[in-house]
């Protein structure tokens, strides 16, 4: 009775719910990354992205205006202002003048400074420094405050990422460098693998089974094992430090999967079509270009997605085969590492840089994802 018209079996609902949950699991981190890319470093460190639309409580280390701005008023030297500066809406709950006692005072209280004078801080950040003697020094005293701040979004992170490292063109230069690496490194393996896959699928020659076994065996070889020998080979023939070297490296590392995937798809094509073409006098090249290649587009597209995503997000191979101290061939992944610094001091721009770097892969994936499943299932059903 569960399968009658108008009713869905419980298994169908379970599948729909599972798919919906999987979509949410994928969507939440992406949305969080997008929201975090517009937040300030203080907000990221104090609250998660899911609280970005609410007031958050943060600890601030602030300074008053320098002694150079003091005025003499009725026998007192006075410095006034706002700890947060102009345009900052915050409400101080507690404050202090020592890092060991950051909650010693309430808004409106007055504290005695160790170098003489007094300071009064209000809840909105307004302060008043007074002293019978002139303030000295180049900087004002520090004030530690715990305050609730409203949601704040900024484009400063994107400005830093897109224009950072102006000497080498910033992220824009790295973006085009990455395209220069990824596009040929995706097209070249497809061209080579398509010919090899057709030969392994439909052409009879000695040793074909051994070649197929070798291709399957190469799928499990870690690319890290081949980096140093391949780099020595490239250096020996003079292509070790440039785009040609990294194109060939990505081609070699991507060919086993490409040949395996395309061969499985081509084997599943109707045999009658191939035989009829041969009876009509068509050559193998004509059959490949006019019949097999158009029918194999789903498999080609599915591999293109994998290869493009891998080369676009690659850092290791680029570090090895694009040795460049001037920044002319720096790819986006390496540029992001440079923006973060050797000690990760600029970690707040990580979300922005990551979102910028995944924009193109997302476009490629959604544009070609309808071919992905069809290509991956190639050869599984006769």
């Amino acid at each position: 009775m569960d399968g009658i018209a108008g009713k869905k079996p419980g298994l169908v609902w379970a599948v729909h719910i599972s798919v919906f949950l999987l979509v949410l699991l994928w969507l939440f981190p992406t949305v969080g990354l997008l929201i975090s890319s517009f937040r300030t470093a203080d907000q990221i460190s104090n609250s998660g992205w899911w609280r970005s639309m609410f007031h958050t409580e943060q600890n601030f280390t602030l300074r008053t205006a320098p002694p150079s701005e003091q005025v003499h008023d009725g026998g007192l030297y006075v410095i006034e202002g706002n700890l947060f500066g102009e345009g900052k809406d915050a409400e101080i709950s507690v404050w202090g003048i020592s890092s060991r006692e950051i909650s010693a005072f309430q808004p409106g209280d007055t504290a005695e400074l160790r170098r003489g004078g007094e300071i009064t801080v209000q809840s909105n950040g307004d302060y008043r420094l007074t002293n019978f003697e002139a303030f000295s020094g180049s900087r004002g005293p520090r004030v530690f405050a715990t305050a609730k701040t409203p949601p704040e979004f900024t484009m400063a992170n994107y400005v830093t990422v897109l224009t950072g490292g102006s000497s080498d063109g910033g992220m824009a230069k790295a973006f085009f460098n990455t395209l220069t690496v990824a596009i040929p490194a995706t097209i070249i393996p497809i061209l080579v693998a398509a010919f090899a896959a057709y030969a392994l699928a439909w052409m009879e020659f000695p040793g074909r089974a051994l070649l197929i076994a070798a291709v399957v065996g190469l799928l499990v070889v870690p690319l890290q094992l081949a980096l140093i020998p391949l780099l020595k080979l490239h250096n020996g023939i003079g292509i070790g430090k440039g785009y040609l070297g990294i194109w060939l490296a990505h081609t070699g590392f991507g060919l086993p999967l490409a040949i395996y995937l395309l061969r499985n798809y081509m084997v599943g094509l109707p045999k009658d079509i191939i035989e009829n073409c041969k009876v009509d006098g068509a050559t193998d090249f004509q059959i490949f270009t006019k019949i097999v290649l158009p029918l194999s587009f789903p498999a080609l597209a599915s591999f293109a997605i994998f290869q493009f995503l891998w080369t676009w997000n690659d850092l290791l191979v680029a570090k090895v085969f694009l040795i460049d101290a001037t920044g002319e061939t720096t790819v986006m992944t390496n540029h992001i590492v440079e923006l973060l610094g050797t000690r990760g001091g600029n970690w707040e721009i990580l979300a922005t840089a990551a979102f910028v770097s995944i924009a193109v892969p997302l476009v490629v994936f959604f544009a070609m994802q309808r071919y992905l499943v069809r290509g991956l299932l190639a050869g599984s059903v006769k």
Side-chain angles (χ1 to χ4, degrees):
M1 297 295 292
D2 292 334
I4 62 176
K7 294 186 178 181
K8 291 186 177 181
L11 184 59
V12 174
W13 284 108
V15 171
H16 289 176
I17 294 174
S18 300
V19 172
F20 178 75
L21 292 177
L22 288 175
V23 171
L24 290 182
L25 286 175
W26 182 88
L27 189 62
F28 279 166
T30 306
V31 173
L33 196 66
L34 175 62
I35 295 176
S36 297
S37 67
F38 292 100
R39 305 183 73 199
T40 63
D42 291 334
Q43 288 185 326
I44 293 175
S45 62
N46 283 278
S47 63
W49 63 268
W50 53 90
R51 293 187 56 83
S52 60
M53 301 303 297
F54 304 96
H55 284 67
T56 58
E57 192 171 70
Q58 304 178 31
N59 294 325
F60 295 91
T61 301
L62 309 166
R63 282 191 180 274
T64 65
S68 59
E69 297 187 12
Q70 62 186 319
V71 295
H72 192 257
D73 182 17
L76 291 175
Y77 290 91
V78 180
I79 302 176
E80 293 181 318
N82 190 282
L83 292 172
F84 300 105
E86 298 294 333
K88 181 75 172 182
D89 184 14
E91 182 180 354
I92 296 177
S93 56
V94 291
W95 63 280
I97 56 175
S98 171
S99 59
R100 297 181 179 179
E101 298 179 351
I102 63 175
S103 59
F105 304 100
Q106 299 291 325
D109 291 348
T110 300
E112 295 185 2
L113 300 174
R114 285 175 292 180
R115 296 185 178 182
E118 296 179 338
I119 181 173
T120 303
V121 178
Q122 305 298 332
S123 60
N124 63 349
D126 290 340
Y127 65 87
R128 178 181 173 88
L129 279 166
T130 59
N131 196 2
F132 290 103
E133 299 179 358
F135 292 99
S136 60
S138 59
R139 297 189 300 177
R142 290 190 303 176
V143 176
F144 301 89
T146 301
K148 289 184 177 181
T149 57
E152 182 179 358
F153 300 95
T154 178
M155 293 294 296
N157 293 337
Y158 281 92
V159 173
T160 301
V161 169
L162 296 176
T163 63
S166 57
S167 60
D168 62 355
M171 184 65 80
K173 178 65 175 178
F175 177 84
F176 287 106
N177 290 340
T178 308
L179 284 178
T180 305
V181 172
I183 293 177
T186 302
I187 296 176
I188 296 174
I190 291 178
L191 292 178
V192 176
F195 283 98
Y198 174 79
L200 294 176
W202 293 107
M203 296 179 66
E204 297 289 342
F205 57 90
R208 187 179 71 164
L210 292 177
L211 285 178
I212 296 174
V215 170
V216 175
L218 289 174
L219 289 174
V220 300
V221 177
L223 67 89
Q224 292 84 354
L225 294 178
L227 287 178
I228 301 304
L230 189 58
L231 179 61
K232 290 182 178 180
L233 174 62
H234 284 191
N235 289 334
I237 60 179
I239 59 171
K241 297 181 180 180
Y243 288 121
L244 180 59
I246 195 171
W247 291 342
L248 295 180
H250 280 304
T251 298
F253 297 141
L255 273 179
L257 177 62
I259 295 175
Y260 178 77
L261 185 66
L262 294 178
R263 188 258 174 191
N264 284 353
Y265 190 92
M266 293 179 183
V267 164
L269 296 177
K271 187 177 181 180
D272 293 341
I273 297 179
I274 309 298
E275 293 178 347
N276 290 337
C277 292
K278 291 183 178 180
V279 169
D280 292 338
T283 63
D284 283 316
F285 184 78
Q286 291 174 328
I287 295 173
F288 171 73
T289 55
K290 296 182 179 181
I291 303 297
V292 175
L293 202 59
L295 293 176
S296 302
F297 185 78
L300 297 173
S302 62
F303 172 75
I305 293 174
F306 282 118
Q307 183 71 0
F308 184 85
L309 295 182
W310 181 44
T311 54
W312 182 271
N313 296 320
D314 170 70
L315 176 63
L316 178 60
V317 178
K319 278 284 191 180
V320 174
F321 292 94
L322 283 181
I323 307 173
D324 181 22
T326 63
E328 288 298 320
T329 58
T330 298
V331 295
M332 292 182 66
T333 51
N334 190 47
H335 186 71
I336 292 172
V337 174
E338 293 175 354
L339 286 177
L340 293 176
T342 57
R343 298 183 180 179
N346 299 325
W347 60 268
E348 68 275 3
I349 66 172
L350 180 59
T352 305
F355 197 80
V356 170
S357 66
I358 69 174
V360 172
L362 283 177
V363 172
V364 172
F365 177 79
F366 284 117
M368 305 180 69
Q369 59 87 24
R370 64 180 181 274
Y371 302 108
L372 181 60
V373 176
R374 292 168 58 186
L376 291 178
L377 294 179
S380 60
V381 179
K382 289 290 185 180

